[in-house]
Amino acid sequence: MAQDYGLPDVELFEDNPDPRVACVLLLDNSYSMSGAPIDALNTGLYEFKQALLADSLARKRVELALVTFGPVEIVTGFTTVDEFDPPHLKAREMTPMGKALTVGLDLLERRKQVYRDHGIQYYRPWLFLLTDGAPTDPIDDALRQLHEAQAEKKCTFFPVGVGEADMSVLKKLAGSAPVWKLQGLQFRELFRWLSSSVSQVAKSQPGTQISLIKPSDNVLRIEV
Protein backbone atom coordinates (compact mmCIF):
# COMPACT_ATOMS: atom_id res chain seq x y z
CA MET A 1 0.00 0.00 0.00
CA ALA A 2 2.75 2.48 0.90
CA GLN A 3 3.85 3.81 -2.44
CA ASP A 4 4.83 7.08 -4.02
CA TYR A 5 2.78 8.31 -6.91
CA GLY A 6 1.55 11.52 -8.43
CA LEU A 7 4.85 13.33 -9.08
CA PRO A 8 6.94 13.19 -12.28
CA ASP A 9 10.11 13.55 -10.18
CA VAL A 10 12.69 14.15 -12.90
CA GLU A 11 10.76 17.02 -14.49
CA LEU A 12 9.69 18.37 -11.12
CA PHE A 13 13.21 18.60 -9.70
CA GLU A 14 14.68 19.98 -12.92
CA ASP A 15 12.17 22.82 -12.83
CA ASN A 16 12.49 23.36 -9.09
CA PRO A 17 15.66 22.12 -7.31
CA ASP A 18 14.76 23.85 -4.01
CA PRO A 19 15.05 21.80 -0.79
CA ARG A 20 11.86 20.05 0.27
CA VAL A 21 9.89 19.60 3.46
CA ALA A 22 7.71 16.50 3.26
CA CYS A 23 4.59 16.37 5.41
CA VAL A 24 2.36 13.32 5.86
CA LEU A 25 -1.11 13.96 7.27
CA LEU A 26 -2.53 10.93 9.08
CA LEU A 27 -6.22 11.71 9.56
CA ASP A 28 -8.81 9.73 11.49
CA ASN A 29 -11.98 9.25 9.44
CA SER A 30 -13.53 6.53 11.61
CA TYR A 31 -17.28 6.50 12.29
CA SER A 32 -16.82 8.47 15.54
CA MET A 33 -15.84 11.49 13.42
CA SER A 34 -19.32 11.61 11.86
CA GLY A 35 -21.21 14.88 11.63
CA ALA A 36 -19.68 18.15 12.80
CA PRO A 37 -16.13 16.79 13.36
CA ILE A 38 -15.63 15.48 9.82
CA ASP A 39 -17.24 18.61 8.36
CA ALA A 40 -14.88 20.82 10.37
CA LEU A 41 -11.91 18.67 9.32
CA ASN A 42 -12.79 19.08 5.63
CA THR A 43 -13.02 22.84 6.08
CA GLY A 44 -9.65 22.83 7.83
CA LEU A 45 -7.99 20.95 4.97
CA TYR A 46 -9.24 23.54 2.49
CA GLU A 47 -7.87 26.34 4.70
CA PHE A 48 -4.56 24.47 4.93
CA LYS A 49 -4.08 24.51 1.18
CA GLN A 50 -5.12 28.14 0.82
CA ALA A 51 -2.70 29.27 3.52
CA LEU A 52 0.21 27.39 1.93
CA LEU A 53 -0.66 28.72 -1.53
CA ALA A 54 -0.35 32.25 -0.17
CA ASP A 55 3.32 31.62 0.70
CA SER A 56 5.44 31.62 -2.46
CA LEU A 57 8.32 29.71 -0.86
CA ALA A 58 6.08 27.07 0.71
CA ARG A 59 4.52 26.50 -2.71
CA LYS A 60 7.96 25.53 -4.02
CA ARG A 61 9.25 23.53 -1.06
CA VAL A 62 6.36 21.82 0.76
CA GLU A 63 5.19 18.39 -0.42
CA LEU A 64 2.09 16.80 1.06
CA ALA A 65 0.74 13.28 1.38
CA LEU A 66 -2.55 12.37 3.03
CA VAL A 67 -3.40 9.03 4.63
CA THR A 68 -6.75 8.32 6.25
CA PHE A 69 -7.40 5.57 8.75
CA GLY A 70 -10.91 4.27 8.93
CA PRO A 71 -9.83 2.21 6.87
CA VAL A 72 -6.18 2.98 5.99
CA GLU A 73 -5.99 4.56 2.55
CA ILE A 74 -3.35 6.67 0.81
CA VAL A 75 -5.72 9.36 -0.43
CA THR A 76 -2.95 11.55 -1.84
CA GLY A 77 0.62 10.51 -2.56
CA PHE A 78 3.32 13.16 -2.25
CA THR A 79 2.42 16.19 -4.29
CA THR A 80 3.19 19.88 -4.39
CA VAL A 81 0.89 22.42 -2.77
CA ASP A 82 -0.36 23.56 -6.18
CA GLU A 83 -1.40 20.01 -7.05
CA PHE A 84 -2.79 19.09 -3.63
CA ASP A 85 -6.55 18.62 -3.92
CA PRO A 86 -8.12 18.54 -0.44
CA PRO A 87 -10.44 15.53 -0.44
CA HIS A 88 -13.96 15.54 0.93
CA LEU A 89 -13.52 13.00 3.70
CA LYS A 90 -16.36 10.84 5.00
CA ALA A 91 -16.52 9.10 8.38
CA ARG A 92 -16.52 5.36 7.73
CA GLU A 93 -15.20 2.45 9.78
CA MET A 94 -12.83 1.57 12.67
CA THR A 95 -9.57 3.23 13.79
CA PRO A 96 -6.53 1.26 12.54
CA MET A 97 -4.04 3.81 13.85
CA GLY A 98 -1.12 1.39 14.11
CA LYS A 99 -1.26 0.50 10.42
CA ALA A 100 -1.67 4.16 9.45
CA LEU A 101 1.51 5.08 11.34
CA THR A 102 3.58 2.37 9.66
CA VAL A 103 2.27 3.43 6.24
CA GLY A 104 3.06 7.07 6.99
CA LEU A 105 6.59 6.30 8.15
CA ASP A 106 7.20 4.18 5.06
CA LEU A 107 5.97 6.97 2.79
CA LEU A 108 8.42 9.39 4.42
CA GLU A 109 11.38 7.03 4.02
CA ARG A 110 10.51 6.37 0.39
CA ARG A 111 10.19 10.07 -0.33
CA LYS A 112 13.52 10.88 1.30
CA GLN A 113 15.16 8.26 -0.90
CA VAL A 114 13.66 9.97 -3.95
CA TYR A 115 15.23 13.25 -2.80
CA ARG A 116 18.60 11.59 -2.29
CA ASP A 117 18.41 9.90 -5.69
CA HIS A 118 17.89 13.30 -7.34
CA GLY A 119 20.36 15.28 -5.22
CA ILE A 120 17.62 17.31 -3.52
CA GLN A 121 18.24 18.63 -0.02
CA TYR A 122 15.42 18.15 2.48
CA TYR A 123 14.32 19.24 5.92
CA ARG A 124 13.35 16.83 8.66
CA PRO A 125 9.91 15.66 7.50
CA TRP A 126 6.70 15.91 9.50
CA LEU A 127 4.34 13.13 10.53
CA PHE A 128 1.09 14.76 11.66
CA LEU A 129 -1.50 12.53 13.35
CA LEU A 130 -5.05 13.58 14.20
CA THR A 131 -7.53 11.29 15.96
CA ASP A 132 -10.63 11.40 18.13
CA GLY A 133 -10.39 7.83 19.39
CA ALA A 134 -8.13 4.89 20.22
CA PRO A 135 -6.47 2.37 17.91
CA THR A 136 -8.53 -0.68 16.99
CA ASP A 137 -5.46 -2.58 15.78
CA PRO A 138 -2.10 -3.51 17.37
CA ILE A 139 0.34 -0.60 17.70
CA ASP A 140 3.50 -2.44 18.82
CA ASP A 141 5.23 -2.31 15.41
CA ALA A 142 4.22 1.30 14.88
CA LEU A 143 5.45 2.21 18.36
CA ARG A 144 8.86 0.64 17.73
CA GLN A 145 9.27 2.20 14.29
CA LEU A 146 8.11 5.60 15.45
CA HIS A 147 10.43 5.71 18.47
CA GLU A 148 13.36 4.59 16.30
CA ALA A 149 12.57 7.33 13.77
CA GLN A 150 12.37 9.94 16.51
CA ALA A 151 15.61 8.77 18.14
CA GLU A 152 17.41 8.93 14.79
CA LYS A 153 15.81 12.32 14.01
CA LYS A 154 14.20 10.94 10.87
CA CYS A 155 10.95 12.83 11.39
CA THR A 156 9.06 15.22 13.63
CA PHE A 157 5.97 13.56 15.09
CA PHE A 158 3.05 15.85 15.90
CA PRO A 159 0.06 14.04 17.48
CA VAL A 160 -3.23 15.86 18.09
CA GLY A 161 -6.18 14.46 20.02
CA VAL A 162 -9.74 15.60 19.33
CA GLY A 163 -12.81 15.15 21.53
CA GLU A 164 -12.69 11.79 23.32
CA ALA A 165 -9.30 10.75 21.91
CA ASP A 166 -7.31 8.34 24.08
CA MET A 167 -4.55 10.73 25.09
CA SER A 168 -2.67 8.03 27.01
CA VAL A 169 -2.10 6.13 23.75
CA LEU A 170 -0.90 9.29 22.03
CA LYS A 171 1.53 9.94 24.88
CA LYS A 172 2.86 6.41 24.55
CA LEU A 173 3.37 6.90 20.82
CA ALA A 174 4.92 10.35 21.21
CA GLY A 175 7.62 9.33 23.66
CA SER A 176 9.39 12.55 24.63
CA ALA A 177 7.50 14.64 22.04
CA PRO A 178 4.59 16.81 23.22
CA VAL A 179 1.02 15.63 22.73
CA TRP A 180 -1.59 18.23 21.85
CA LYS A 181 -5.33 18.48 22.51
CA LEU A 182 -7.51 20.44 20.12
CA GLN A 183 -9.96 22.70 21.89
CA GLY A 184 -13.41 22.00 20.49
CA LEU A 185 -13.60 21.62 16.72
CA GLN A 186 -11.18 24.39 15.74
CA PHE A 187 -9.79 22.51 12.75
CA ARG A 188 -9.59 25.67 10.69
CA GLU A 189 -7.37 27.34 13.29
CA LEU A 190 -5.33 24.16 13.74
CA PHE A 191 -4.51 23.89 10.05
CA ARG A 192 -3.75 27.60 9.81
CA TRP A 193 -1.18 27.10 12.56
CA LEU A 194 0.17 23.98 10.84
CA SER A 195 0.56 25.84 7.54
CA SER A 196 2.44 28.67 9.32
CA SER A 197 4.74 26.15 11.00
CA VAL A 198 5.50 24.22 7.81
CA SER A 199 6.09 27.51 5.98
CA GLN A 200 8.46 28.59 8.73
CA VAL A 201 10.48 25.41 8.27
CA ALA A 202 10.55 25.91 4.49
CA LYS A 203 12.09 29.37 4.95
CA SER A 204 15.00 28.06 7.07
CA GLN A 205 18.24 26.38 6.06
CA PRO A 206 18.08 22.56 5.98
CA GLY A 207 19.60 21.09 9.14
CA THR A 208 19.12 24.15 11.32
CA GLN A 209 17.07 24.16 14.52
CA ILE A 210 14.16 26.60 14.56
CA SER A 211 11.60 27.51 17.19
CA LEU A 212 8.09 27.10 15.85
CA ILE A 213 5.35 29.62 16.51
CA LYS A 214 3.52 28.55 19.66
CA PRO A 215 -0.16 27.85 18.99
CA SER A 216 -2.77 29.68 21.03
CA ASP A 217 -3.88 27.79 24.16
CA ASN A 218 -7.42 28.51 23.00
CA VAL A 219 -6.78 26.30 19.99
CA LEU A 220 -4.15 23.72 21.05
CA ARG A 221 -2.94 22.77 24.49
CA ILE A 222 -0.16 20.42 25.49
CA GLU A 223 -1.56 17.41 27.32
CA VAL A 224 0.27 16.94 30.62
Side-chain angles (χ1 to χ4, degrees):
M1 175 178 292
Q3 57 183 315
D4 265 295
Y5 58 88
L7 282 177
D9 293 318
V10 174
E11 294 85 353
L12 178 76
F13 296 139
E14 286 180 349
D15 293 340
N16 173 20
D18 274 29
R20 300 301 205 273
V21 52
C23 180
V24 172
L25 305 177
L26 301 178
L27 304 181
D28 185 345
N29 69 324
S30 59
Y31 63 87
S32 58
M33 287 284 289
S34 298
I38 201 74
D39 290 342
L41 176 56
N42 283 321
T43 299
L45 283 173
Y46 175 80
E47 292 283 342
F48 184 49
K49 173 172 181 173
Q50 297 309 307
L52 288 173
L53 280 176
D55 187 315
S56 59
L57 202 55
R59 290 175 67 169
K60 295 176 64 178
R61 296 184 172 185
V62 175
E63 292 186 351
L64 303 171
L66 193 154
V67 178
T68 56
F69 53 104
V72 174
E73 181 180 358
I74 302 175
V75 178
T76 304
F78 278 109
T79 187
T80 56
V81 175
D82 284 343
E83 297 297 323
F84 178 65
D85 185 17
H88 184 77
L89 301 179
K90 295 181 179 180
R92 295 168 63 188
E93 300 177 13
M94 305 297 281
T95 315
M97 190 185 304
K99 185 176 181 181
L101 283 163
T102 59
V103 168
L105 287 166
D106 186 58
L107 276 172
L108 287 179
E109 288 305 305
R110 288 169 179 259
R111 196 63 191 157
K112 287 190 291 184
Q113 186 59 54
V114 170
Y115 298 150
R116 290 190 289 267
D117 290 345
H118 291 83
I120 297 296
Q121 287 187 297
Y122 58 88
Y123 305 88
R124 188 184 304 181
W126 282 46
L127 188 65
F128 177 86
L129 172 74
L130 188 146
T131 182
D132 75 335
T136 53
D137 66 339
I139 64 168
D140 290 347
D141 285 346
L143 185 66
R144 175 184 54 80
Q145 292 180 40
L146 182 57
H147 287 182
E148 287 178 358
Q150 289 172 295
E152 297 172 12
K153 298 182 178 180
K154 291 182 176 180
C155 72
T156 296
F157 181 51
F158 196 93
V160 176
V162 180
E164 300 300 317
D166 190 332
M167 303 305 288
S168 64
V169 171
L170 293 185
K171 288 180 181 179
K172 186 177 181 181
L173 289 167
S176 59
V179 174
W180 300 84
K181 183 68 181 290
L182 184 67
Q183 305 305 294
L185 296 177
Q186 299 188 80
F187 289 98
R188 178 179 295 178
E189 291 78 8
L190 166 64
F191 280 102
R192 284 177 180 168
W193 174 83
L194 182 62
S195 67
S196 297
S197 298
V198 174
S199 294
Q200 188 179 353
V201 172
K203 291 185 174 89
S204 67
Q205 291 295 319
T208 59
Q209 282 287 109
I210 64 171
S211 297
L212 297 177
I213 301 168
K214 186 179 181 298
S216 167
D217 287 342
N218 294 328
V219 177
L220 278 178
R221 292 182 184 174
I222 292 180
E223 188 79 0
V224 296

